[in-house]
Amino acid sequence: MKLKAKPLKLFAGRSIAILHKETAEKLQLHEDSRIRIKKIGEKRWVTAVIDIAEEMVKKDEIALSNDITKIIKIKRKDWVEVAVELRPYSINYINKKMQGKRLNFTEIYSIISDIAKDRLKEGEIAYFISALYFRGCDMKEIYDLTRAMINTGAVLKHKEKYVLDLHSCGGVAGNRTSPIVVSLVASAIQHLGIDAIMPKTSSRAITSAAGTADVMECVAKIVFSTAELRKILDKTKACLVWNSALNLSPADDKILKVESLLPIDTEPKLLASVISKKVADGATHLLVEIPYGNSSKFKLAEAIRLKKKFLKLTSKFGIKTKTILTDGSQPVGRGVGPVLEMLDVISVLKNKKEKLSDLENRSLLFASELLALTKEISKKDALDLCKFLLYSGRAYKKFREIVLAQGGKTNFEEKLRTGKFRKEIKAKKEGTIKAIDNKKVSLIARIAGCPGDKGAGIWLHKKRGDSVQANDVLFTIFSESKEKLDYAYRIAQQSNPFEIE
Amino acid sequence: MKLKAKPLKLFAGRSIAILHKETAEKLQLHEDSRIRIKKIGEKRWVTAVIDIAEEMVKKDEIALSNDITKIIKIKRKDWVEVAVELRPYSINYINKKMQGKRLNFTEIYSIISDIAKDRLKEGEIAYFISALYFRGCDMKEIYDLTRAMINTGAVLKHKEKYVLDLHSCGGVAGNRTSPIVVSLVASAIQHLGIDAIMPKTSSRAITSAAGTADVMECVAKIVFSTAELRKILDKTKACLVWNSALNLSPADDKILKVESLLPIDTEPKLLASVISKKVADGATHLLVEIPYGNSSKFKLAEAIRLKKKFLKLTSKFGIKTKTILTDGSQPVGRGVGPVLEMLDVISVLKNKKEKLSDLENRSLLFASELLALTKEISKKDALDLCKFLLYSGRAYKKFREIVLAQGGKTNFEEKLRTGKFRKEIKAKKEGTIKAIDNKKVSLIARIAGCPGDKGAGIWLHKKRGDSVQANDVLFTIFSESKEKLDYAYRIAQQSNPFEIE
């Protein structure tokens, strides 16, 4: 059926098309049905879920949400072709996996391709994630999942000999090493004159209070085309951008969004997600951090198992990989939340004396290990070089360069604002801080508004091993809304992340 | 924040509110965020997911989908209060169950109440269903789940001594006994002059091609208020209506909708679903059919286990229950799909000679067992009475009475139309029909358009034990759309439900 397009500046978080009731009846469509849409004369179909209206649209019209019009360029009154989207057959493969059966590449590709094309609904994707969570995958399935994710998105090619990359498996609040590592590595690359870049592409938060993309967005743009990215890399040898905008492994992003509802993380998906993104962004040398410990995602045994799988999989894709297991038993740094973590990053880069040695040491370690992976420099020399670059202010200068190349303002530091609503949580007794629970910290920060509200989050006044008196402030909760603050405060009181002994 | 309402005749399958971009920013809301809305001066809050628009709505306006305006009566320019809906805490209980921990009543109630009030998203409900599917529940949890479902909806009270009810656990294509059993029981009630009614409330299809509600909707209305229902019962002693419209166990309906995506069925949910609906519709005496066998939902051992759980649970709620295990190894009757099943029902009631003995015998058995459960008549006498009522045309007369009382037209039989697009599937070799797979039959019928497209479905020309020659027609697929028919035909060829030996 041919209909006149009515592009709406409507943002629904999914592709929505609105049809007149009679038009929907003619097509035998019900609310929540799926349709396919393409511009007349063009080839690309997009899938959308329909809403049905009695007003708003005429019988020969179809209103389209922004998610659709950004994919197929459409102007008002352009004619579009509309067809019934059949029930995606991949749903049967999701069901097969739910029942505990192995999937082959064709079946996995069918699911991933339908997710990438928005043909599966949130609930169907949640079932797929649950099936992976409860049934697990063997190495062949994980490899196939990774390949399917790569093949359904864009793949970047770089001219440099070394394309350095970093990934942290997460689960540790405030662990924002990437901006520091990238600044260190990029200035080292220039210092050593090696043919390398570090085009770091990152995600937004999944289960945590902030992802590197959320944090960088506080000071610079993170959305760039491939051509724009190349210009930034030519200028600075590095970048810190949002991977979603580059359409690398787009299915992964859509799965992450549904995972973030609970939140939930599954090992097969974690491996496929990371490696597909790294293959797609062109990495040749990769450092993977796997934090382990109480209240982090992994216990030591799991971290060791994961490490082996990482090495096995990356070698299949020809990426030289080093994995580092780190102590993930308490948050890193002081700030948790986009703005608060950026403040930590700047403190380290500017060598401020704020007891951020954990964040600093990790960043130095990762940067030097990554540089040494190229064999152009020894580990020891790389560590010394990174220390020099950090303490001499060169790394900070490189960071500013990257921020400005990514469209940040010269006074970006002054623009950082923490949430104006805040409350302190105090110690009920004296003693020593025995533990700080990452999951509880992240939950409270998310309830306070993270990662969507940039200024929301938590500032840790105390860390493990510190002594406290009764009534000493343990942490401050920041929020941009009074309601969210109150709720976060209530949860923080019910379930305090600090354990004092 | 106070905003002017703009009710839209928009049907989205969920509660949607559309806010202007700047208004959303002021409230720190992002697309897909949850808000609460109430009419100024009234108490009832409803939850909605937001879309964000740059046109369509003004900054002081909020556009509301039909799902909202039908709950809180709202006219254009009524003022409404809008507040941020915090992340429902029940999500943490879903996560707890995902991790394999037991939930107590408060936790289960919190999840079910949030589902009933539309506070959880499709993906979150899918995770809850997955958690029940993979982790299971003990009897206490199932009892709590049932109570929570009852307590979050309406409960009907009837004046009669016996409120008779029937439930089939499903999984068998074409097993449409309810309209026949209700007609038999209602005419027996009048014949015997006992103080009883059979107010049958049914669901729409979950995993199958049609539910009793979908089938009845082909000839009568199925949506009634409690008061209207009472009038129908006074007139005919029975009804066949849609349970959702009566707000019985509303959370159950919302869970079913998400289950139907895959489709998936879980035992704890199945038990709670059936029993909560039966307690809420006021049943005192209940017959439960549990079909078992290859390609049905349950194997014999599972059916026996389920039977015990049914009896245990219904006794806690004071419902006198009889469970019958039936042969579920092939479809019942000939038609599969709303109109096609109604044609079978009418054939049995009108004593047509169409080899529908399986549908007829089951219906006679269920009706007589249910009547005998009251102890007002023996099993043998009840069976003889039912046969008399069926063969004398009295049951058919009763069925017509019910259809007319429910707003059906006197010529309802002539109005039944099967899908105009159809294709036959033929035998590839001669032999005897060894099996007909229920799941494959249902899948093909659903792909052909069931249950939404009433005329879609399958007509079985052959049943198990029949001899066929090569090229004999095994079944016909009906559809209301050529595209859906082609797709169903392709699947039918790939995965034929008939096994010939």
Side-chain angles (χ1 to χ4, degrees):
Chain A
M1 185 182 274
K2 287 181 180 46
L3 294 170
K4 253 184 286 182
K6 186 176 174 182
L8 296 178
K9 288 213 182 267
L10 181 70
F11 304 82
R14 57 177 190 165
S15 300
I16 293 285
I18 307 174
L19 291 179
H20 189 276
K21 200 173 170 227
E22 288 183 24
T23 315
E25 276 166 13
K26 234 178 248 173
L27 286 164
Q28 295 285 339
L29 293 169
H30 320 283
E31 56 194 40
D32 230 25
S33 291
R34 280 174 266 234
I35 57 167
R36 278 184 298 153
I37 306 161
K38 76 178 183 74
K39 205 166 147 181
I40 301 278
E42 298 198 0
K43 277 191 180 163
R44 182 158 188 185
W45 288 96
V46 292
T47 301
V49 164
I50 68 157
D51 290 355
I52 295 176
E54 290 181 12
E55 303 152 351
M56 286 172 72
V57 286
K58 297 192 190 123
K59 287 175 203 167
D60 63 346
E61 281 183 339
I62 180 168
L64 304 171
S65 76
N66 196 63
D67 299 74
I68 302 170
T69 51
K70 83 173 175 203
I71 299 175
I72 46 169
K73 305 279 170 253
I74 279 193
K75 291 190 306 295
R76 193 168 165 80
K77 297 202 177 167
D78 275 351
W79 285 92
V80 296
E81 175 79 38
V82 174
V84 175
E85 181 73 285
L86 302 161
R87 180 177 183 276
Y89 199 78
S90 64
I91 294 172
N92 300 311
Y93 303 135
I94 295 176
N95 222 339
K96 187 173 170 187
K97 187 75 202 170
M98 287 289 278
Q99 285 158 37
K101 291 173 195 147
R102 282 194 77 257
L103 298 182
N104 63 32
F105 179 70
T106 314
E107 291 162 341
I108 291 173
Y109 185 86
S110 159
I111 296 170
I112 295 302
S113 162
D114 279 346
I115 292 175
K117 288 178 188 156
D118 274 330
R119 297 181 69 207
L120 294 182
K121 292 181 190 173
E122 181 184 289
E124 290 152 354
I125 297 173
Y127 285 126
F128 179 55
I129 295 165
S130 302
L132 296 181
Y133 180 75
F134 286 106
R135 299 294 190 184
C137 286
D138 61 23
M139 283 305 285
K140 176 68 172 58
E141 283 179 307
I142 297 173
Y143 176 61
D144 287 345
L145 191 59
T146 312
R147 281 199 295 151
M149 285 185 178
I150 298 166
N151 295 351
T152 49
V155 175
L156 302 184
K157 303 260 179 233
H158 302 289
K159 60 190 179 200
E160 284 80 4
K161 183 173 174 194
Y162 304 114
V163 179
L164 308 183
D165 216 336
L166 167 70
H167 179 79
S168 170
C169 292
V172 179
N175 190 15
R176 196 57 48 213
T177 53
S178 287
I180 308 170
V181 174
V182 167
S183 305
L184 285 168
V185 169
S187 62
I189 286 170
Q190 287 180 319
H191 195 87
L192 297 168
I194 55 177
D195 185 24
I197 47 171
M198 185 160 184
K200 177 85 183 90
T201 66
S202 309
S203 311
R204 294 188 183 277
I206 313 155
T207 60
S208 67
T212 295
D214 302 305
V215 173
M216 273 306 288
E217 205 180 21
C218 301
V219 294
K221 289 184 194 155
I222 56 169
V223 173
F224 295 98
S225 68
T226 314
E228 290 165 334
L229 193 72
R230 191 59 245 180
K231 278 187 197 163
I232 297 167
L233 292 172
D234 284 340
K235 202 183 286 176
T236 67
K237 300 285 172 204
C239 64
L240 283 147
V241 303
W242 185 32
N243 47 28
S244 268
L246 294 161
N247 202 37
L248 312 174
S249 190
D252 179 44
D253 297 335
K254 286 163 190 175
I255 296 173
L256 287 180
K257 198 173 158 190
V258 181
E259 286 185 328
S260 74
L261 291 174
L262 264 197
I264 180 178
D265 234 332
T266 74
E267 192 185 275
K269 176 41 199 40
L270 172 80
L271 288 160
S273 167
V274 175
I275 297 167
S276 68
K277 285 270 178 7
K278 297 310 167 195
V279 173
D281 77 7
T284 60
H285 292 69
L286 170 66
L287 188 99
V288 177
E289 180 197 17
I290 309 175
Y292 68 93
N294 283 340
S295 89
S296 87
K297 278 187 204 166
F298 313 104
K299 304 273 163 283
L300 180 57
E302 291 169 311
I304 292 171
R305 199 183 57 198
L306 195 60
K307 175 193 171 101
K308 284 181 193 152
K309 289 187 179 173
F310 257 115
L311 294 174
K312 211 164 178 175
L313 266 175
T314 49
S315 78
K316 286 201 178 200
F317 291 101
I319 299 176
K320 218 164 147 34
T321 305
K322 164 98 189 173
T323 52
I324 300 185
L325 271 56
T326 60
D327 171 14
S329 61
Q330 71 164 342
V332 171
R334 300 274 164 180
V336 176
V339 165
L340 289 154
E341 291 179 32
M342 183 45 78
L343 290 172
D344 271 6
V345 164
I346 292 170
S347 292
V348 170
L349 285 170
K350 290 178 93 168
N351 302 302
K352 288 191 184 163
K353 299 279 163 258
E354 285 184 35
K355 296 194 204 150
L356 294 165
S357 56
D358 52 353
L359 184 59
E360 179 179 314
N361 290 337
R362 264 170 211 245
S363 302
L364 286 168
L365 174 69
F366 297 167
S368 56
E369 287 279 0
L370 189 50
L371 287 164
L373 201 56
T374 65
K375 309 264 186 212
E376 299 273 353
I377 186 168
S378 72
K379 275 190 204 180
K380 195 195 159 294
D381 290 350
L383 185 58
D384 289 339
L385 174 61
C386 287
K387 282 182 180 170
F388 160 72
L389 296 169
L390 182 64
Y391 301 141
S392 67
R394 282 172 172 77
Y396 172 66
K397 206 178 137 218
K398 174 55 78 177
F399 179 69
R400 279 192 68 89
E401 221 180 84
I402 295 168
V403 168
L404 299 185
Q406 288 185 203
K409 303 262 183 270
T410 50
N411 63 343
F412 65 86
E413 289 179 42
E414 295 155 32
K415 300 268 176 191
L416 290 166
R417 290 270 174 283
T418 53
K420 65 178 170 186
F421 300 97
R422 51 191 76 174
K423 262 185 183 166
E424 293 173 341
I425 301 279
K426 294 176 180 168
K428 290 205 173 118
K429 60 174 184 185
E430 69 164 283
T432 304
I433 309 293
K434 201 192 150 204
I436 307 173
D437 189 300
N438 283 301
K439 285 178 187 157
K440 289 179 182 171
V441 166
S442 294
L443 179 65
I444 295 165
R446 285 177 78 97
I447 291 173
C450 290
D453 304 343
K454 294 270 187 257
I458 282 176
W459 184 262
L460 302 165
H461 297 257
K462 302 288 177 190
K463 296 290 290 277
R464 194 177 52 207
D466 290 351
S467 312
V468 290
Q469 301 298 316
N471 276 326
D472 276 1
V473 178
L474 296 174
F475 62 98
T476 304
I477 309 173
F478 294 80
S479 183
E480 296 184 358
S481 123
K482 196 176 168 309
E483 272 177 303
K484 291 182 189 176
L485 180 70
D486 289 344
Y487 187 27
Y489 183 71
R490 212 164 67 230
I491 298 302
Q493 282 180 313
Q494 277 169 24
S495 167
N496 193 323
F498 279 73
E499 202 179 312
I500 303 172
E501 240 186 25
Chain B
M1 183 183 276
K2 287 181 179 49
L3 294 169
K4 254 184 285 181
K6 184 176 174 181
L8 297 178
K9 289 214 181 267
L10 181 71
F11 304 82
R14 58 178 190 166
S15 299
I16 294 286
I18 306 175
L19 290 180
H20 189 276
K21 200 174 171 226
E22 288 182 26
T23 315
E25 276 165 14
K26 234 180 250 173
L27 286 164
Q28 293 288 337
L29 293 169
H30 319 283
E31 58 194 38
D32 229 27
S33 291
R34 280 174 267 236
I35 57 168
R36 278 183 299 152
I37 305 160
K38 76 178 184 72
K39 207 166 146 179
I40 301 279
E42 297 197 359
K43 278 192 181 162
R44 180 160 190 186
W45 288 97
V46 291
T47 300
V49 165
I50 68 155
D51 289 356
I52 295 176
E54 290 180 13
E55 304 153 349
M56 285 173 74
V57 287
K58 297 193 190 120
K59 286 174 203 167
D60 63 344
E61 281 183 339
I62 180 168
L64 304 170
S65 77
N66 197 63
D67 299 74
I68 302 169
T69 52
K70 82 175 176 202
I71 299 174
I72 47 170
K73 305 279 169 250
I74 278 193
K75 290 190 306 292
R76 193 170 165 80
K77 296 202 177 165
D78 274 352
W79 285 93
V80 295
E81 175 80 37
V82 174
V84 175
E85 180 73 285
L86 302 163
R87 180 177 183 275
Y89 200 77
S90 62
I91 294 171
N92 299 312
Y93 303 135
I94 294 175
N95 222 337
K96 188 174 170 185
K97 189 74 201 170
M98 287 289 278
Q99 285 158 35
K101 292 174 194 145
R102 281 194 75 258
L103 298 182
N104 63 34
F105 179 70
T106 313
E107 292 163 341
I108 291 173
Y109 185 85
S110 160
I111 297 169
I112 295 302
S113 162
D114 280 345
I115 292 174
K117 288 177 186 155
D118 274 330
R119 297 183 68 208
L120 294 183
K121 291 180 190 174
E122 182 183 289
E124 290 151 355
I125 297 173
Y127 285 126
F128 179 55
I129 295 165
S130 302
L132 297 181
Y133 180 75
F134 286 105
R135 300 294 190 184
C137 286
D138 62 23
M139 282 307 282
K140 175 69 172 57
E141 283 179 307
I142 297 172
Y143 176 62
D144 287 344
L145 191 61
T146 313
R147 282 199 296 151
M149 285 185 179
I150 297 165
N151 294 351
T152 48
V155 175
L156 302 183
K157 305 259 179 235
H158 302 287
K159 61 189 180 200
E160 284 80 2
K161 184 172 174 192
Y162 304 115
V163 179
L164 307 182
D165 216 337
L166 167 70
H167 179 79
S168 169
C169 293
V172 178
N175 190 15
R176 197 58 47 212
T177 53
S178 287
I180 306 170
V181 174
V182 167
S183 304
L184 285 167
V185 170
S187 65
I189 287 170
Q190 287 181 317
H191 194 89
L192 296 168
I194 55 177
D195 186 23
I197 49 172
M198 185 159 183
K200 178 85 182 88
T201 66
S202 310
S203 310
R204 294 189 182 275
I206 312 156
T207 58
S208 66
T212 295
D214 302 305
V215 174
M216 274 307 288
E217 205 180 22
C218 301
V219 295
K221 289 183 193 155
I222 56 169
V223 174
F224 296 98
S225 69
T226 314
E228 290 166 333
L229 192 72
R230 190 61 246 178
K231 277 188 196 163
I232 296 168
L233 292 172
D234 284 340
K235 201 182 287 178
T236 67
K237 300 286 173 201
C239 64
L240 283 148
V241 303
W242 185 31
N243 48 28
S244 268
L246 293 161
N247 201 37
L248 311 174
S249 190
D252 178 44
D253 296 336
K254 286 165 189 173
I255 297 173
L256 287 180
K257 199 174 157 189
V258 182
E259 286 185 327
S260 72
L261 290 175
L262 265 197
I264 181 176
D265 235 332
T266 74
E267 192 186 274
K269 176 39 200 40
L270 171 80
L271 287 158
S273 167
V274 175
I275 297 166
S276 68
K277 284 271 179 5
K278 296 310 165 196
V279 173
D281 79 6
T284 61
H285 293 68
L286 171 66
L287 187 99
V288 177
E289 179 197 18
I290 309 176
Y292 68 91
N294 283 341
S295 89
S296 89
K297 278 188 205 165
F298 314 104
K299 303 274 163 283
L300 179 58
E302 291 170 311
I304 291 170
R305 198 183 58 198
L306 194 61
K307 173 192 170 104
K308 283 180 193 153
K309 289 188 179 173
F310 257 116
L311 294 173
K312 210 164 179 176
L313 264 174
T314 49
S315 78
K316 286 202 177 200
F317 292 100
I319 300 176
K320 217 165 147 35
T321 305
K322 165 98 189 173
T323 52
I324 300 185
L325 272 56
T326 60
D327 171 15
S329 60
Q330 71 163 342
V332 171
R334 300 275 166 180
V336 176
V339 164
L340 290 154
E341 291 179 32
M342 181 46 77
L343 291 172
D344 270 7
V345 164
I346 292 170
S347 291
V348 170
L349 286 168
K350 291 179 93 167
N351 302 302
K352 288 191 182 162
K353 300 280 164 257
E354 286 184 34
K355 296 195 203 150
L356 294 167
S357 55
D358 52 353
L359 184 60
E360 178 179 315
N361 290 337
R362 265 171 208 245
S363 303
L364 286 168
L365 173 70
F366 298 166
S368 56
E369 286 280 359
L370 188 52
L371 287 164
L373 201 57
T374 65
K375 309 264 185 214
E376 298 274 353
I377 185 169
S378 73
K379 276 190 203 180
K380 194 192 160 296
D381 289 352
L383 184 58
D384 288 341
L385 174 60
C386 287
K387 283 182 177 169
F388 161 71
L389 295 169
L390 181 63
Y391 303 140
S392 68
R394 282 172 172 78
Y396 172 66
K397 206 178 137 217
K398 175 53 79 177
F399 179 68
R400 280 191 68 87
E401 224 179 80
I402 295 169
V403 169
L404 299 184
Q406 289 186 201
K409 304 263 182 269
T410 50
N411 62 343
F412 65 86
E413 290 179 42
E414 296 155 31
K415 300 268 178 192
L416 290 167
R417 290 273 174 282
T418 51
K420 66 178 169 183
F421 300 96
R422 49 192 79 173
K423 262 184 181 165
E424 293 173 341
I425 302 277
K426 294 177 179 169
K428 290 204 173 122
K429 59 173 184 184
E430 72 165 283
T432 305
I433 308 292
K434 200 194 151 201
I436 306 173
D437 189 300
N438 283 300
K439 286 178 186 156
K440 290 180 182 172
V441 166
S442 294
L443 178 65
I444 295 164
R446 284 177 80 97
I447 291 173
C450 291
D453 304 343
K454 294 270 187 256
I458 282 175
W459 184 263
L460 303 164
H461 297 259
K462 302 287 176 189
K463 296 291 291 274
R464 194 176 51 208
D466 289 352
S467 313
V468 289
Q469 301 298 316
N471 277 324
D472 274 2
V473 177
L474 297 174
F475 61 101
T476 304
I477 308 173
F478 294 79
S479 183
E480 296 184 359
S481 122
K482 194 177 169 308
E483 273 176 305
K484 291 183 190 176
L485 179 70
D486 289 344
Y487 188 27
Y489 183 71
R490 211 163 68 230
I491 299 301
Q493 283 181 312
Q494 275 168 23
S495 166
N496 193 325
F498 279 72
E499 203 180 311
I500 303 173
E501 242 186 24

